[in-house]
Amino acid sequence: MAQVREFRLPDLGEGLTEAEIVRWMVAVGDVVEVDQPVVEVETAKAMVEVPCPWAGVVTARFGEEGGELPVGAPLLTVAVGGPADGGGPSAPGAGGADGAAATRPGGAPGPGGEPGSGAVDREPGAGAGAKRRAEGSGNVLVGYGTSAAPARRRRVRPVAAAPAPAAPAPAPAGVRAPGAGPGRTDGPDGDAAPVADGPVPVISPLVRRLARQSGLDLRELSGSGPDGLILRADVEYALRAAAHRPVAAVAPAPAPAPVPAGADGRAVPDGVRVPLRGVRGAVADKLSRSRREIPDATCWVDADATELMRARTAMNAADGPRISLVALLARICVAALARFPELNSTVDTGAREVVRFDRVHLGFAAQTDRGLVVPVVRDAHTRDAEGLTAEFARLTGAARDGRLSPADLTGGTFTLNNYGVFGVDGSTPIINHPEAAMLGVGRVIPKPWVHEGELAVRQVVQLSLTFDHRVCDGGTAGGFLRYVADCVEQPAVLLRTL
């Protein structure tokens, strides 16, 4: 008899808490092999193909293409070891391709289902008494491994009773049983059980903020994640349950037509709403955090890049690979960071320390169809101009194709932003949190310039440096930027540091 295994969205690393389903690679009824990719998801970092750790027949899929799932939410169920119970592709508690309701975290419905109260969250197939004897995958995923996982305990969520007609409208959290005192909540058997003091285990700060903004007490929830971890689906289910709970009977007054409102309750004009998720959402979160946490300052200078452009032309006239301008600028940045290591650092706010790095992992901004990403060139200080050119080309191509891994997008210590490719002269960069500085480079264009005491037309570029004022003062930042400008104006200066 087949054992139905539930495959949940694994932890994809780098602190990622959710992913968007881009493309299903299997359908209900398909046969899958061990480690076969079953779904392509987009995280805030990259596009990832998720492999299934078991071989068998797909009995259900959870989530539609374009929808988001939190880490730990069910992706699909697989019948392992033989035909599924009942001879069909469906398993107890699992929805088929026709959109039947399926058990999900926090009692949330499957595709096409309605929110339910008192739903039993259990492993599909557990009602048949199936034991977990199937072999696991050798590809270790978080929550899955080479051995069978222990069976989850059965969890029942009781139905929250409606308040008395004379009582005020209940708070949004409504999963505490009536009469339960402070610090108590319903246990698995419906009895009141004490709630431990201290922070409630939540999968991410975003879920904690969602609960706080909605007036939801996390202590009243029973998390469906590992060891009672509260997932986003648990919070959303509690809010939906509260919205469907009946309130005291009051004769309703005629209500005006609904007006769209923003998060702060103010009316907003009609228009198209674009969700901030995936890469766009990650960029929004990181830039907001940078502005919120980093006391930044910006200085800038115009530099005569005529000699640098001539040097690049001479290098490319010789036999060998062509050298890009951004690679030359990267070499200059690396040399400047060796002289001013304060800017190759980060601030550890918990320890109140500035951490200076002894290696330069250089990030660079790359615009793609999916949004702005910042790939990282590892150990940029060990590469020459030719090696930097090749690595920039490789990472840029992978970024545009959506093939960057999370490791390619994290771990940077300093960022170079060449916004001159957009035809603009200058900008004030926002620091790529948690780094301490970013160098911005505008376009190189002919401008009137005083050269050797005479007015001449020269190739001029604007350089701007945004830095974290906690790691250094203006003298250090100005010295860094002045050294970069000197190398741009006289590339021979760079030879002294090589």
Side-chain angles (χ1 to χ4, degrees):
M1 183 170 56
Q3 303 175 33
V4 179
R5 310 292 291 271
E6 183 181 73
F7 179 41
R8 294 173 175 266
L9 178 64
D11 186 348
L12 301 172
E14 304 294 341
L16 302 173
T17 60
E18 57 188 13
E20 177 183 347
I21 297 177
V22 177
R23 177 172 61 96
W24 279 107
M25 306 173 73
V26 295
V28 173
D30 286 355
V31 177
V32 295
E33 301 296 332
V34 173
D35 290 342
Q36 175 181 333
V38 292
V39 64
E40 184 178 33
V41 300
E42 179 181 12
T43 70
K45 301 292 185 182
M47 303 273 278
V48 179
E49 291 184 353
V50 180
C52 180
W54 305 301
V57 178
V58 177
T59 59
R61 299 187 321 192
F62 301 96
E64 301 295 332
E65 293 181 356
E68 283 191 346
L69 289 178
V71 169
L75 271 177
L76 49 79
T77 55
V78 179
V80 179
D85 293 340
S90 298
D98 57 354
T103 302
R104 308 189 68 176
E114 294 295 331
S117 299
V120 179
D121 183 14
R122 66 180 68 178
E123 290 286 350
K131 295 184 178 180
R132 298 168 173 264
R133 293 189 297 267
E135 291 295 328
S137 164
N139 183 16
V140 179
L141 302 172
V142 175
Y144 307 91
T146 56
S147 60
R152 290 189 304 168
R153 100 188 145 190
R154 185 172 181 267
R155 182 182 297 116
V156 180
R157 288 188 181 84
V159 180
V175 291
R176 176 182 295 173
R184 300 183 66 85
T185 185
D186 291 341
D189 299 324
D191 299 328
V195 176
D197 294 334
V200 180
V202 179
I203 195 169
S204 77
L206 295 178
V207 175
R208 193 180 300 276
R209 184 177 64 181
L210 173 63
R212 183 173 61 251
Q213 291 176 345
S214 304
L216 182 65
D217 186 356
L218 291 173
R219 297 181 184 278
E220 298 179 337
L221 300 185
S222 176
S224 61
D227 297 325
L229 185 68
I230 296 178
L231 308 178
R232 182 172 181 175
D234 299 324
V235 174
E236 292 176 342
Y237 167 72
L239 296 177
R240 287 197 302 268
H244 287 79
R245 185 180 298 109
V247 297
V250 178
V259 178
D264 56 0
R266 294 181 300 176
V268 296
D270 293 337
V272 178
R273 291 177 177 264
V274 180
L276 281 175
R277 61 189 184 188
V279 173
R280 186 72 261 165
V283 170
D285 292 340
K286 176 162 283 194
L287 296 184
S288 298
R289 184 176 183 184
S290 179
R291 280 295 195 213
R292 184 171 60 251
E293 296 184 6
I294 299 179
D296 58 346
T298 303
C299 53
W300 58 89
V301 65
D302 289 342
D304 180 1
T306 304
E307 296 303 323
L308 181 66
M309 300 302 289
R310 287 176 179 171
R312 176 173 176 258
T313 300
M315 295 170 70
N316 289 334
D319 293 336
R322 294 181 61 83
I323 304 300
S324 66
L325 177 60
V326 70
L328 295 178
L329 293 170
R331 288 291 297 122
I332 293 173
C333 281
V334 168
L337 289 173
R339 287 183 168 236
F340 301 92
E342 297 91 339
L343 295 171
N344 190 48
S345 64
T346 188
V347 175
D348 186 341
T349 55
R352 291 184 62 83
E353 294 176 342
V354 176
V355 181
R356 294 182 184 174
F357 302 108
D358 55 2
R359 302 161 68 186
V360 179
H361 300 316
L362 186 67
F364 67 98
Q367 190 69 43
T368 70
D369 293 339
R370 298 169 56 237
L372 181 69
V373 295
V374 184
V376 177
V377 178
R378 304 286 171 181
D379 297 317
H381 58 289
T382 65
R383 303 175 186 263
D384 57 14
E386 182 177 321
L388 287 169
T389 298
E391 188 66 1
F392 281 134
R394 182 187 72 82
L395 290 172
T396 299
R400 290 172 179 168
D401 295 339
R403 294 183 288 103
L404 288 175
S405 68
D408 292 328
L409 294 165
T410 54
T413 61
F414 185 92
T415 296
L416 174 64
N417 186 359
N418 180 21
Y419 44 75
V421 297
F422 302 119
V424 297
D425 297 336
S427 177
T428 56
I430 299 178
I431 297 174
N432 188 25
H433 187 280
E435 299 170 14
M438 177 186 289
L439 178 68
V441 182
R443 60 177 177 169
V444 181
I445 58 173
K447 281 187 178 181
W449 191 265
V450 177
H451 176 66
E452 297 179 350
E454 296 183 356
L455 187 64
V457 176
R458 307 285 287 180
Q459 300 292 319
V460 180
V461 62
Q462 184 181 98
L463 307 171
S464 56
L465 176 71
T466 297
F467 63 99
D468 186 339
H469 224 315
R470 297 172 297 179
V471 306
C472 68
D473 296 324
T476 300
F480 174 93
L481 188 58
R482 186 64 258 171
Y483 178 81
V484 171
D486 289 344
C487 290
V488 168
E489 294 182 341
Q490 303 176 47
V493 173
L494 184 60
L495 296 177
R496 301 194 192 108
T497 61
L498 298 180

